[in-house]
Coordinates of all heavy atoms in Angstrom, one line a residue:
E50 N -7.0 -2.3 262.1 CA -6.5 -1.1 262.8 C -5.0 -1.3 263.2 O -4.5 -0.4 263.9 CB -7.4 -0.6 263.9 CG -8.8 -0.2 263.3 CD -9.7 0.4 264.3 OE1 -10.4 -0.3 265.0 OE2 -9.7 1.7 264.4
N63 N -1.9 -10.4 253.3 CA -1.5 -11.5 252.5 C -2.2 -11.4 251.1 O -3.4 -11.4 251.0 CB -2.0 -12.8 253.2 CG -1.3 -13.0 254.5 OD1 0.0 -12.9 254.6 ND2 -2.0 -13.2 255.5
F71 N -19.6 -13.8 242.8 CA -20.3 -12.5 242.4 C -21.8 -12.8 242.1 O -22.6 -12.0 242.3 CB -19.6 -11.9 241.2 CG -18.2 -11.4 241.5 CD1 -17.1 -12.2 241.0 CD2 -18.0 -10.3 242.2 CE1 -15.8 -11.7 241.3 CE2 -16.7 -9.9 242.5 CZ -15.6 -10.6 242.0
T90 N -10.1 -2.7 255.0 CA -9.9 -1.3 255.2 C -8.9 -1.1 256.3 O -9.1 -1.4 257.4 CB -11.2 -0.5 255.5 OG1 -12.1 -0.7 254.4 CG2 -11.0 0.9 255.7
R100 N 3.9 -0.6 260.4 CA 4.7 -1.6 259.7 C 3.7 -2.5 258.9 O 2.8 -3.1 259.5 CB 5.4 -2.5 260.7 CG 6.3 -3.5 260.0 CD 7.1 -4.3 261.0 NE 8.1 -3.5 261.8 CZ 9.3 -3.2 261.3 NH1 9.7 -3.6 260.1 NH2 10.2 -2.5 262.0
S111 N 4.3 -9.2 242.4 CA 3.3 -8.2 242.6 C 3.9 -7.0 243.4 O 5.1 -7.1 243.8 CB 2.0 -8.7 243.3 OG 1.0 -7.7 243.2
M158 N 4.6 -3.6 237.3 CA 4.9 -3.1 235.9 C 4.2 -4.0 234.9 O 4.4 -5.2 234.9 CB 6.5 -3.1 235.7 CG 6.9 -2.5 234.4 SD 6.7 -0.7 234.4 CE 7.3 -0.3 232.7
Y166 N -7.8 -5.5 238.5 CA -9.0 -6.0 238.0 C -9.4 -7.3 238.7 O -10.6 -7.5 239.1 CB -8.8 -6.3 236.5 CG -10.1 -6.5 235.7 CD1 -10.9 -5.5 235.4 CD2 -10.3 -7.8 235.2 CE1 -12.0 -5.7 234.6 CE2 -11.5 -8.1 234.4 CZ -12.3 -7.0 234.1 OH -13.4 -7.2 233.4
L173 N -7.7 2.8 252.5 CA -6.8 3.1 253.6 C -7.3 4.5 254.2 O -7.4 5.5 253.5 CB -5.4 3.3 253.1 CG -4.3 4.0 253.9 CD1 -4.1 3.3 255.3 CD2 -3.0 4.0 253.2
T213 N -10.1 -8.4 226.1 CA -10.5 -9.3 225.1 C -11.0 -8.7 223.8 O -11.1 -9.3 222.8 CB -11.7 -10.2 225.6 OG1 -12.7 -9.4 226.2 CG2 -11.2 -11.1 226.8
M222 N -10.1 -1.0 230.5 CA -11.2 -2.1 230.7 C -12.4 -1.5 231.3 O -12.4 -0.8 232.3 CB -10.6 -3.1 231.8 CG -9.9 -4.3 231.2 SD -10.7 -5.1 229.9 CE -12.2 -5.7 230.6
D225 N -19.7 -4.5 231.9 CA -21.1 -4.3 232.0 C -21.6 -4.5 233.4 O -22.7 -4.1 233.7 CB -21.9 -5.1 231.0 CG -21.5 -6.6 231.1 OD1 -20.4 -6.9 231.7 OD2 -22.2 -7.5 230.6
L277 N -12.1 19.3 253.0 CA -12.2 20.6 252.4 C -12.3 21.6 253.5 O -12.6 21.2 254.7 CB -13.4 20.7 251.4 CG -13.4 19.7 250.3 CD1 -14.7 19.8 249.5 CD2 -12.2 19.9 249.3
E292 N -9.6 8.6 241.9 CA -10.0 9.7 242.7 C -10.9 9.2 243.8 O -11.6 8.1 243.7 CB -10.8 10.7 241.9 CG -10.0 11.5 240.9 CD -10.8 12.6 240.3 OE1 -11.8 12.3 239.6 OE2 -10.5 13.8 240.4
E295 N -15.4 12.3 249.7 CA -16.2 11.9 250.8 C -17.4 12.8 250.8 O -17.3 14.0 250.7 CB -15.5 12.1 252.2 CG -14.4 11.2 252.4 CD -13.7 11.4 253.8 OE1 -14.3 11.8 254.7 OE2 -12.4 11.2 253.8
D302 N -35.6 11.7 255.0 CA -37.0 11.6 254.5 C -37.4 10.1 254.4 O -38.6 9.8 254.2 CB -37.1 12.2 253.1 CG -36.4 11.5 252.0 OD1 -35.7 10.5 252.3 OD2 -36.4 11.9 250.8
S333 N -21.9 7.3 228.1 CA -23.3 7.5 227.6 C -24.3 6.6 228.2 O -25.5 6.7 228.0 CB -23.3 7.4 226.1 OG -23.1 6.0 225.7
A365 N 0.7 30.5 242.3 CA 1.7 30.0 241.3 C 3.0 30.6 241.5 O 4.1 30.0 241.2 CB 1.1 30.4 239.9
K370 N 9.8 26.4 239.6 CA 10.0 25.8 238.3 C 8.7 25.3 237.8 O 7.8 24.9 238.6 CB 11.0 24.6 238.6 CG 11.5 23.9 237.3 CD 12.4 22.7 237.7 CE 12.8 21.9 236.5 NZ 13.8 22.6 235.7
G400 N -5.2 3.3 212.4 CA -4.6 4.6 212.6 C -5.4 5.4 213.7 O -6.0 4.8 214.5
G401 N -5.3 6.7 213.6 CA -6.0 7.5 214.5 C -5.4 7.5 215.9 O -4.3 7.0 216.0
Q451 N -2.2 20.8 244.8 CA -3.4 21.6 244.7 C -3.5 21.9 243.2 O -2.5 22.1 242.5 CB -3.3 22.9 245.5 CG -3.4 22.6 247.0 CD -3.2 23.9 247.8 OE1 -3.1 25.0 247.2 NE2 -3.3 23.8 249.1
I452 N -4.7 22.0 242.7 CA -5.0 22.3 241.3 C -5.0 23.9 241.2 O -5.7 24.5 242.0 CB -6.4 21.8 240.9 CG1 -6.4 20.3 241.0 CG2 -6.6 22.2 239.4 CD1 -7.8 19.7 240.7
F467 N -6.8 19.2 248.8 CA -5.7 18.5 248.3 C -6.1 17.3 247.4 O -7.1 16.7 247.6 CB -4.9 18.0 249.5 CG -4.1 19.1 250.1 CD1 -4.5 19.7 251.3 CD2 -2.9 19.6 249.5 CE1 -3.8 20.7 251.9 CE2 -2.2 20.6 250.1 CZ -2.6 21.2 251.3
T470 N -4.8 12.9 242.3 CA -5.2 12.5 241.0 C -6.1 13.5 240.4 O -7.0 14.0 241.1 CB -5.9 11.1 241.1 OG1 -5.1 10.2 241.8 CG2 -6.2 10.5 239.7
H498 N 1.6 9.1 236.4 CA 1.0 8.3 235.3 C -0.4 8.6 235.2 O -1.1 9.2 236.1 CB 1.3 6.8 235.6 CG 0.7 6.3 236.9 ND1 -0.6 5.8 237.0 CD2 1.2 6.2 238.1 CE1 -0.8 5.4 238.2 NE2 0.3 5.7 239.0

Side-chain angles (χ1 to χ4, degrees):
E50 299 189 271
N63 298 309
F71 295 103
T90 296
R100 183 178 293 278
S111 189
M158 186 69 179
Y166 194 74
L173 168 56
T213 52
M222 270 311 299
D225 52 342
L277 301 173
E292 287 186 301
E295 292 178 33
D302 67 359
S333 65
K370 189 181 174 74
Q451 291 179 0
I452 303 172
F467 285 103
T470 307
H498 59 91

